[in-house]
Amino acid sequence: MNFIKELDGGFSVIENLKVSGAREGKYGVTIIVSPNSTASAVFTSNKVVAAPVKYTQNVLKKGIISAVFVNSGNANCFTGQQGFKDCETLVELVSKDLKIPKDEIAISSTGVIGREMPIDIISKVAYESLSKLGDNPENSLAAAKAIMTTDTFPKECALEVTLTSGETVRIAGITKGSGMIAPNMGTMLSFIVTDAVVPADEIKKALRASANISFNMIVVDGDESTNDTCLMMANGASGVEVVKNGEIDSNFQEALDYLCIDLAKKMARDGEGATKFIEANVYNARNDEDARLAAKSIISSSLFKSAVFGGDPNWGRIVSAIGYSGCDLNPDSVTISIADDTDDVDLVKNGEILAFEDTPYLERAEKIMQSKNITVNIDMDLGDGEATAWGCDLTYDYVKINAEYTT
């Protein structure tokens, strides 16, 4: 894809965009300002939905977002009417400071569920963040850091894409996510801005398509958050339209896919307590949906994730996960292999077991399982369906982190 160029600087590569981030202890506030942007989003499908998700869903009915307020340290979920009042308080704070209409300000939160927002602390950090708004790489990095909870590193990506017309536009995004990751509609928290001209309804279609092959294909622990939000804005600063004759430019869609996959993989790598990164590729499934089921089942399996942590090439756990995933499977024709950055070995070939005790296949597999990056490849030999999913191992530290999360 030589029409996609990776850039440094995160949000700073987008004109007419200012961002900031500030923290006080576990509480952080990120502000994103992109005036008069068309916007859309995908959200959690959890039936317990946080107040900021409902608030932002209502704001998006207008299709215009000029600013986004994001806080970490408190999810503002299961907080009743007070949760909505706190959303209104924080939005009004931003509205007055930036002189932006309240109905053009989105809000997102992440942190502990079921506790009222410490509004005094969050407001204090919000004012500090507002005072630091800027358009430099440092501002983007601060924004990415301020939304972190159990994340161990900030996650951002920026691209320049040459459209099929030869014109160029840019896309940039930040995300956070380390635990409670198994989204069905969006991601933990992700914010994307492009300088292209894109109608809100086209943003929704493009973002949903990208989310389906990126954020919806990562699993850390199988728990879906109540706050999942992936919000995309188009501020039109480039003046370049990416939708022509009712169709979005194919290069733009591929670039958005690329950005979302990059951010999603960074979340999977940063899974709570993770020591290894897992990629599962499924080929020649009955159809794409079957491939998706199989790939996600592999990286969702607690037994397989534990085996990866222990360096155990227990491929029986892989085939078991595929078997209960709901996809079509013929055990007599499936091929299973694992790989790292230097080797690739078949464990099962067309239904025939190769990796059993005292075989060179098993010896190579044992070495591969010690690597930091492990790829599982499955050839179903049933059709032309394909999918990829990403995840991480399940470690002692994951249990420790979540045993002590609220204390």
Side-chain angles (χ1 to χ4, degrees), residues 209-227:
S210 292
N212 281 339
I213 61 172
S214 59
F215 302 126
N216 289 348
M217 295 302 290
I218 56 173
V219 177
V220 167
D221 47 23
D223 281 320
E224 182 187 354
S225 171
T226 55
N227 291 55

Side-chain angles (χ1 to χ4, degrees), residues 341-361:
D341 297 332
T342 60
D343 195 12
D344 185 342
V345 62
D346 288 334
L347 308 177
V348 176
K349 182 72 172 179
N350 298 325
E352 179 186 354
I353 300 171
L354 301 180
F356 50 86
E357 194 172 359
D358 297 327
T359 64
Y361 299 98

Side-chain angles (χ1 to χ4, degrees), residues 21-150:
R23 292 193 76 94
E24 181 175 314
K26 69 177 181 179
Y27 299 108
V29 172
T30 288
I31 307 288
I32 304 168
V33 182
S34 183
N36 301 310
S37 296
T38 53
S40 189
V42 288
F43 299 97
T44 182
S45 61
N46 197 316
K47 291 183 179 179
V48 177
V49 181
V53 170
K54 293 181 180 180
Y55 188 96
T56 296
Q57 285 174 327
N58 189 54
V59 170
L60 282 168
K61 291 177 181 178
K62 182 178 177 180
I64 298 292
I65 296 291
S66 292
V68 184
F69 175 98
V70 194
N71 76 273
S72 61
N74 184 291
N76 194 8
C77 177
F78 221 82
T79 46
Q81 287 301 311
Q82 185 60 45
F84 288 97
K85 291 179 182 178
D86 289 340
C87 286
E88 291 170 349
T89 296
L90 294 169
V91 165
E92 186 171 0
L93 181 156
V94 175
S95 175
K96 287 183 177 180
D97 191 273
L98 298 178
K99 297 180 174 52
I100 291 174
K102 289 187 289 185
D103 63 357
E104 294 180 12
I105 301 174
I107 185 168
S108 291
S109 301
T110 181
V112 179
I113 296 169
R115 294 186 178 178
E116 286 191 5
M117 184 82 78
I119 200 70
D120 291 343
I121 298 175
I122 298 296
S123 296
K124 177 185 174 183
V125 182
Y127 281 120
E128 181 183 354
S129 187
L130 285 163
S131 72
K132 294 179 177 180
L133 279 167
D135 55 10
N136 296 315
E138 294 78 11
N139 298 108
S140 180
L141 184 59
K145 287 181 176 180
I147 59 175
M148 291 166 55
T149 50
T150 55

